[in-house]
Amino acid sequence: MNQRRASAPRIGLTGGIGSGKSTVAALLASAGAAILDADALSRESTASGGAAIPLIAEAFGPEFLDGDGALDRARMRSLVFADPSARARLEAIVHPLVLRGIAERTDTALQAGARLLVLDIPLLVESGHWAPALDAVLVVDCRTETQIERVMRRSGMPRAQVQSILDTQASRAQRRAVADAVLFNDCISLAALDDAVRTFARGFGL
């Protein structure tokens, strides 16, 4: 049985859409890191029956729930575009629930003997909430054109739609400005990326 660990380094992993962040998270997991997915916890809280649903209905109105009782993401996205303050109001509901979920999963990972905790946070820079909880930030970066091509290829979205998503996210420069380490995932083989990930992980005890 693994002995309970009182602590382990906490790394924030982030990157824009199409950067390859999910691939890096999987490589970190294969290297032995415990991955804590903030986005999955957020989706869980806003799914039908999720803890955020009653609060969202109260704050925004029941029309922001879909027929299944989950957050109507398309309607909320439109509201956020029209009223930027809506994002802060939604985050004020969802973020504490995500933090609670992260804390619970952190405890479970530490009890299992985790030596490195990786918090997978797509909007780490945009939210501004996470810095106090992290020991370092790892940014997955690539050229904007590469992001667009990857997303178009995997999703079938038109270029304009992908660009509109990119326009709502932090810029590459903004992410790199908060990074303690950057993995440039462009014109690189999976094997070379894995080597870079494992070199990074060794710096934190894996």
Side-chain angles (χ1 to χ4, degrees):
M1 179 181 296
N2 288 319
Q3 187 176 10
R4 176 190 173 94
R5 294 178 60 87
S7 185
R10 289 164 169 79
I11 306 302
L13 173 65
T14 195
I17 187 172
S19 65
K21 178 183 63 63
S22 296
T23 299
V24 170
L27 293 173
L28 283 165
S30 72
I35 309 299
L36 311 175
D37 190 335
D39 201 35
L41 288 167
S42 175
R43 291 194 301 270
E44 180 182 303
S45 76
T46 58
S48 179
I53 292 302
L55 301 172
I56 290 171
E58 181 179 353
F60 294 95
E63 64 270 23
F64 281 87
L65 305 183
D66 65 19
D68 296 323
L71 172 66
D72 186 330
R73 295 183 181 278
R75 186 161 193 161
M76 182 61 72
R77 192 178 303 117
S78 296
L79 176 64
V80 167
F81 281 141
D83 177 10
S85 70
R87 180 189 296 275
R89 289 156 54 204
L90 181 63
E91 286 183 350
I93 294 170
V94 174
H95 186 68
L97 300 172
V98 172
L99 280 180
R100 187 171 70 195
I102 290 286
E104 292 169 353
R105 284 159 177 76
T106 293
D107 189 58
T108 298
L110 290 174
Q111 289 189 46
R115 293 182 292 153
L116 178 64
L117 304 173
V118 175
L119 280 66
D120 184 342
I121 309 170
L123 300 181
L124 185 153
V125 176
E126 293 86 340
S127 71
H129 294 299
W130 292 98
L134 302 172
D135 295 304
V137 173
L138 173 61
V139 168
V140 185
D141 186 38
C142 67
R143 294 177 299 118
T144 301
E145 182 60 27
T146 300
Q147 292 179 263
I148 293 172
E149 290 175 357
R150 285 173 177 165
V151 177
M152 288 174 62
R153 187 165 57 245
R154 78 187 185 202
S155 69
M157 288 183 189
R159 174 178 288 268
Q161 186 175 357
V162 179
Q163 185 63 60
S164 70
I165 294 172
L166 286 171
D167 290 343
T168 68
Q169 297 186 340
S171 68
R172 292 176 62 198
Q174 287 172 321
R175 288 194 193 88
R176 291 196 301 265
V178 304
D180 295 285
V182 176
L183 289 176
F184 190 64
N185 182 29
D186 207 330
C187 300
I188 184 175
S189 68
L190 183 60
L193 182 62
D194 187 36
D195 285 344
V197 166
R198 288 178 184 275
T199 297
F200 171 82
R202 281 196 297 272
F204 288 90
L206 281 186

